[in-house]
Amino acid sequence: MVINPLFATGPSINTRLLVAIVASIALLVAERKSSQLDKLRSVLSMITYPIQSITDWPLHHSKETVESIKSLYSLKEENERLSQEQLIYKSQLLKYEALEKENIRLRALLEKSFKLGEQVLVAELLSVNLAPFEHVVVVDKGTRFGVHAQQAVLDAYGVVGQVYRALPLNSEIMLITDPGHAIPVQINRNGLRTIAVGSGRINRLILPYLANNADIKEGDLLISSGLGGIFPQGYPVAVVEKIILQPNKPFAEIYATPKAQLNRSRELLIVWKSEAPIPLETQETEQADENHAEE
């Protein structure tokens, strides 16, 4: 279809392009030789500034959005890392606190051993069996450290019990609260001697052989009397808790609370009454003996 040139209006495209090129060259020459166009440039820049800002806004804010997302991910990763480090440091702090408390307990045990003047060995608790009719704990020292049956065992506060069975690598300790255990004691106030028997309860001993008129009071300290050949004299055993007089029976009903922390102590002292050194057998000495035998 051919357009009738009669309806064509205005100059052609080539003409308009030529005019634009000529005007551009004229403006460049005029700007180079004169500064009169600076005012016009300023006015035009003020007019075009809103349009320029609108065209630059998406690009500028897209960069800000990308940076914000990157910062958010970085903060999230750093937060996770700091949380993990905090958890690790907390666990280490708990370990340090446990070590500090263990150090305090060990120092108390050593101070106790120095006051007692006996030969002692520190043993650590491995397991506990507190059945209704059996109060036995296991420690990590056995016959290879010279431990033997019927040795007195105590903590920093008082008598714990005695070695019930000694094995090469560990030993079983019968607590003084075991129903089958009995320890000769005496009242520290007046020297009155009697027997303290386990009740089957971790916090109670029974004194079943004192008469109703015996000189004993609540709060009296009971110490080991040294009789029986197992417990040396003078170890704290218990404190009299309750006295029930029974006029129709020959003996009073008397209860005492152990001085030792039977349900808390983790380190115990195994005591030797003799001053002979402990025959410690280690893997090195055993290997040396085997080599000597082979030679």
Side-chain angles (χ1 to χ4, degrees), residues 256-275:
T257 303
K259 287 285 291 180
Q261 295 185 352
L262 301 180
N263 58 345
R264 296 183 183 179
S265 296
R266 289 192 56 85
E267 295 83 19
L268 304 177
L269 285 176
I270 301 176
V271 182
W272 278 261
K273 290 186 295 182
S274 64
E275 297 182 358

Side-chain angles (χ1 to χ4, degrees), residues 42-53:
S42 300
V43 173
L44 291 175
S45 65
M46 294 179 61
I47 295 173
T48 59
Y49 178 77
I51 300 174
Q52 184 179 1
S53 298

Side-chain angles (χ1 to χ4, degrees), residues 11-47:
S12 64
I13 295 177
N14 295 332
T15 304
R16 285 180 286 181
L17 176 62
L18 180 61
V19 171
I21 292 173
V22 171
S24 298
I25 294 172
L27 288 173
L28 289 173
V29 172
E31 180 184 10
R32 186 174 183 83
K33 293 184 177 182
S34 176
S35 59
Q36 295 180 357
L37 295 178
D38 291 342
K39 294 181 179 179
L40 178 61
R41 184 184 296 108
S42 300
V43 173
L44 291 175
S45 65
M46 294 179 61
I47 295 173

Side-chain angles (χ1 to χ4, degrees), residues 54-294:
I54 292 172
T55 55
D56 290 344
W57 186 87
L59 179 62
H60 177 71
H61 283 274
S62 64
K63 291 182 179 180
E64 288 185 352
T65 304
V66 172
E67 293 296 329
S68 299
I69 294 173
K70 289 182 179 179
S71 300
L72 180 62
Y73 278 107
S74 299
L75 289 174
K76 185 177 180 181
E77 291 177 356
E78 185 177 3
N79 187 33
E80 291 178 356
R81 180 179 59 81
L82 292 176
S83 298
Q84 293 176 358
E85 290 181 357
Q86 184 182 20
L87 181 62
I88 294 172
Y89 292 149
K90 281 185 177 181
S91 63
Q92 291 178 349
L93 182 61
L94 291 175
K95 183 65 176 178
Y96 293 149
E97 291 178 353
L99 290 174
E100 181 182 7
K101 292 179 180 179
E102 181 179 0
N103 185 35
I104 294 173
R105 294 195 303 268
L106 289 174
R107 290 183 61 183
L109 283 174
L110 292 176
E111 291 175 0
K112 186 72 173 179
S113 66
F114 293 150
K115 293 178 182 179
L116 293 172
E118 306 287 346
Q119 188 178 9
V120 297
L121 177 67
V122 177
E124 186 174 355
L125 198 68
L126 293 179
S127 63
V128 179
N129 181 16
L130 296 181
F133 299 101
E134 185 181 38
H135 286 193
V136 176
V137 299
V138 179
V139 296
D140 64 345
K141 297 297 187 296
T143 55
R144 63 189 298 266
F145 287 90
V147 179
H148 57 83
Q150 295 186 340
Q151 280 187 271
V153 180
L154 63 149
D155 64 5
Y157 304 94
V159 174
V160 171
Q162 61 177 296
V163 178
Y164 173 67
R165 183 183 292 111
L167 302 173
L169 300 179
N170 52 60
S171 298
E172 296 179 2
I173 310 299
M174 179 184 289
L175 304 183
I176 57 176
T177 53
D178 188 285
H181 190 276
I183 175 174
V185 296
Q186 66 183 83
I187 300 174
N188 192 46
R189 177 174 55 85
N190 55 19
L192 179 64
R193 290 190 293 270
T194 185
I195 303 293
V197 180
S199 66
R201 295 175 58 181
I202 196 65
N203 61 345
R204 175 169 288 185
L205 294 175
I206 302 174
L207 280 65
Y209 306 117
L210 283 178
N212 289 291
N213 60 351
D215 185 10
I216 185 171
K217 300 177 182 179
E218 293 182 1
D220 277 344
L221 174 64
L222 304 176
I223 61 174
S224 56
S225 65
L227 301 178
I230 296 178
F231 299 94
Q233 183 180 6
Y235 288 6
V237 177
V239 175
V240 177
E241 173 191 358
K242 189 175 183 180
I243 301 174
I244 302 175
L245 300 180
Q246 302 183 103
N248 57 339
K249 295 183 180 180
F251 301 111
E253 189 175 347
I254 303 174
Y255 302 103
T257 303
K259 287 285 291 180
Q261 295 185 352
L262 301 180
N263 58 345
R264 296 183 183 179
S265 296
R266 289 192 56 85
E267 295 83 19
L268 304 177
L269 285 176
I270 301 176
V271 182
W272 278 261
K273 290 186 295 182
S274 64
E275 297 182 358
I278 303 172
L280 175 61
E281 296 182 3
T282 61
Q283 294 180 354
E284 289 79 3
T285 57
E286 292 174 358
Q287 185 65 32
D289 293 340
E290 291 178 359
N291 294 336
H292 181 71
E294 291 177 358

